[in-house]
Amino acid sequence: MLRCEIQAYLDNKNISSLCVHSSLFNREFIKENNFKFEEIPVANDKMFSVQSSLGACKLAVDSHIIYCVTRGKGTLTTKQDLDSFFVRVYAYIRTYNFLKQNLIENEFQELDLYALGIIGKAITNKYSFKTIIKILLILYKSEIKVLGKKMKNPIILYRKLNNYLNNVKNEKKILCQLKRE
């Protein structure tokens, strides 16, 4: 995952491909800007990652492994209950709004942020149709689109969905291995 994030950043200079667990920060920079993790049970690093990335005068990329995400039963990375899911949805919305307010309009448009992954995750978590509609309404009221610009092309949409489903299969394999241990 780390190498994918580095490559995404190098290819696109897209700060949304960076995350806190693949980053090192200067302590003074964090203190001076008063960057903090949100006090929420999951996705508490989203806003921190975006704010610190936007606030940085320079970003450097290195391919060395600096952090290892350990996935285990009941950890934040595997916690998929409905309450946690909605916390993630609202964290995404806050992050989206922060970017919209703090980037120049054309920079924000270039990010082409969309919420298809949220809907995909809700479906793979087997949430009810009513819950998925509720999520869609929340996104709609927040003026967040579900599909990106490029996804109007059915081939690109198919590839995105296929990649997403393959990632879900891989996650399930990992979780099955963890359950056996």
Side-chain angles (χ1 to χ4, degrees):
M1 184 160 120
L2 177 60
R3 296 199 192 289
C4 294
E5 291 164 359
I6 290 170
Q7 197 57 53
Y9 175 75
L10 290 173
D11 291 346
N12 307 311
K13 301 293 186 235
N14 181 348
I15 61 160
S16 68
S17 64
L18 300 174
C19 59
V20 73
H21 63 266
S22 66
S23 305
L24 291 174
F25 297 93
N26 178 300
R27 181 184 165 133
E28 286 305 309
F29 168 70
I30 300 300
K31 284 174 67 176
E32 285 171 12
N33 291 286
N34 200 29
F35 295 133
K36 295 183 177 168
F37 279 46
E38 288 186 282
E39 301 229 3
I40 54 178
V42 293
N44 59 357
D45 61 342
K46 270 197 175 317
M47 188 63 79
F48 176 91
S49 296
V50 170
Q51 289 175 329
S52 59
S53 296
L54 276 180
C57 294
K58 78 177 183 184
L59 296 173
V61 176
D62 191 316
S63 62
H64 288 89
I65 295 172
I66 59 170
Y67 186 86
C68 174
V69 176
T70 304
R71 298 181 75 161
K73 189 176 181 181
T75 63
L76 292 179
T77 55
T78 60
K79 196 171 184 180
Q80 298 298 327
D81 60 275
L82 193 55
D83 289 338
S84 296
F85 189 83
F86 276 101
V87 169
R88 284 186 173 94
V89 170
Y90 286 112
Y92 178 84
I93 292 168
R94 284 190 302 280
T95 303
Y96 178 96
N97 289 332
F98 176 83
L99 287 168
K100 191 173 185 178
Q101 292 168 1
N102 290 281
L103 291 174
I104 299 168
E105 188 175 340
N106 67 331
E107 289 177 328
F108 180 75
Q109 295 302 323
E110 283 178 34
L111 288 177
D112 193 24
L113 299 174
Y114 53 89
L116 181 61
I118 292 172
I119 302 305
K121 196 69 171 168
I123 292 168
T124 56
N125 286 350
K126 298 180 180 168
Y127 295 145
S128 69
F129 181 72
K130 183 179 176 181
T131 300
I132 293 170
I133 295 299
K134 181 178 179 182
I135 295 164
L136 285 167
L137 287 171
I138 291 167
L139 294 169
Y140 176 77
K141 287 177 183 174
S142 301
E143 299 180 8
I144 298 176
K145 57 192 173 209
V146 174
L147 297 178
K149 291 178 205 167
K150 295 177 185 173
M151 289 189 203
K152 292 177 182 169
N153 178 331
I155 294 169
I156 292 174
L157 178 59
Y158 171 78
R159 286 181 184 158
K160 285 275 188 188
L161 290 172
N162 196 34
N163 285 340
Y164 178 78
L165 291 173
N166 286 332
N167 287 339
V168 168
K169 285 179 191 174
N170 290 336
E171 281 184 19
K172 284 183 180 179
K173 285 179 188 175
I174 292 168
L175 291 174
C176 286
Q177 289 171 350
L178 290 171
K179 286 179 182 176
R180 284 188 220 131
E181 293 175 357

